[in-house]
Amino acid sequence: MSKGKYILVNGSFIPTEDYRITLQESEALVFSEKIRSVRSVFPFFMEALDVIKLKLHLFNQSFSEFTEQEGSEMKRQMERTLTKNKHFKDAVLTLTFRFAQPKIQYTIQSETHEPIGYELNEKGLFVELDTKLQKSVSSLSGLSIGSDLYWTIAQCHQKGSTADQLLLFNTNNQIVDVPGSNIYIIKGKTIRGAGREQGAYMDITRPVMLDIFRSLNLVYSKSEGIRVNDIQECEEILIVNAIEGVRWVAGYEGKRFFNTTIRKISELFNQAKLS
């Protein structure tokens, strides 16, 4: 990825290398949301807007100039950022909100993304279990603001590992997610995932994925969660988020996995969000 040369700060552009925050801003409450752009279209814009509204509500804040009229002003500022940085093909935008008095401050950054669109990875990912960390179940564990710290710690544990991703446990030794993504396992016509009740992150792609499972006559279940033996016995594993799309997991320890059904899922995902 290549970061844009300009960052939008409260409606005005500043060269990225010149951007600084004050001490007051560094001490303010803050949250960020990433939004994918594909040829200047935002595939999950309304879903991301709903998450931003929810996070503002949790912090007892409002930012009506961005959230009203289906986020039209927020979309306009994102489009300005892409145009200023000449990111017309594929990009990821990071919207950051700071609750610094007397009003909310925001920044929008963009960076290029490869490949263009939601292409399935041809080289499968390899995963390992993070046995040093257990993610607790809470009212916030389904959101990134309740999961970010766990993901950051997991990424620190990943250093020195040959794995591409680490699987996170909850306190009941169920596998709930990987940093920033949902996980699904496939065995025959059954697909298993992890739910909010197990502490899993609920990515905004979830409703789209459930529709795809139904269209492929896959029976989806999250009530029992995912355990290590389920990973060892399944046939395919995929991880999904709104930035990278559907990604195929090729191996866990000594076991290798197919991607036959995953390819069908990926095609329908692309049709649902890019057609």
Side-chain angles (χ1 to χ4, degrees), residues 31-186:
F31 76 83
S32 297
E33 195 69 29
K34 291 185 180 295
I35 300 178
R36 178 78 178 270
S37 169
V38 180
R39 298 183 180 90
S40 300
V41 174
F42 309 114
F44 286 93
F45 178 79
M46 292 307 300
E47 293 88 344
L49 176 62
D50 287 341
V51 171
I52 289 171
K53 288 179 179 179
L54 175 57
K55 290 180 178 180
L56 288 168
H57 176 73
L58 289 171
F59 283 110
N60 195 28
Q61 301 285 334
S62 63
F63 197 35
S64 57
E65 53 261 56
F66 260 28
T67 58
E68 289 184 351
Q69 298 180 340
E70 297 185 333
S72 60
E73 178 61 17
M74 185 173 85
K75 181 181 288 186
R76 187 178 78 85
Q77 298 297 349
M78 290 165 57
E79 291 169 342
R80 287 184 64 209
T81 304
L82 292 174
T83 300
K84 184 70 173 179
N85 288 318
K86 299 179 180 180
H87 289 165
F88 302 116
K89 292 182 179 180
D90 207 301
V92 176
L93 296 105
T94 302
L95 284 72
T96 301
F97 300 88
R98 281 189 171 82
F99 308 137
Q101 297 300 326
K103 65 177 184 177
I104 294 177
Q105 299 179 5
Y106 73 91
T107 62
I108 303 179
Q109 297 174 279
S110 67
E111 55 187 324
T112 58
H113 184 277
E114 294 289 344
I116 298 173
Y118 291 113
E119 290 185 12
L120 182 66
N121 54 313
E122 288 299 324
K123 182 181 179 182
L125 304 176
F126 286 81
V127 297
E128 291 180 359
L129 292 168
D130 188 344
T131 57
K132 302 175 183 178
L133 181 68
Q134 288 185 311
K135 185 181 180 186
S136 58
V137 180
S138 75
S139 58
L140 296 178
S141 55
L143 295 170
S144 60
I145 57 175
S147 302
D148 274 332
L149 181 58
Y150 293 97
W151 296 343
T152 300
I153 294 173
Q155 287 163 348
C156 291
H157 292 171
Q158 189 177 343
K159 294 177 181 178
S161 168
T162 58
D164 299 298
Q165 293 281 353
L166 293 185
L167 308 176
L168 271 66
F169 274 132
N170 65 10
T171 52
N172 291 322
N173 292 322
Q174 296 168 310
I175 297 166
V176 289
D177 50 47
V178 301
S181 302
N182 288 160
I183 179 171
Y184 303 95
I185 63 173
I186 303 172

Side-chain angles (χ1 to χ4, degrees), residues 202-220:
M202 305 297 286
D203 189 73
I204 56 178
T205 57
R206 176 82 52 135
V208 173
M209 296 304 296
L210 297 183
D211 286 343
I212 291 173
F213 299 156
R214 283 190 288 269
S215 70
L216 293 174
N217 295 317
L218 296 170
V219 179
Y220 175 74

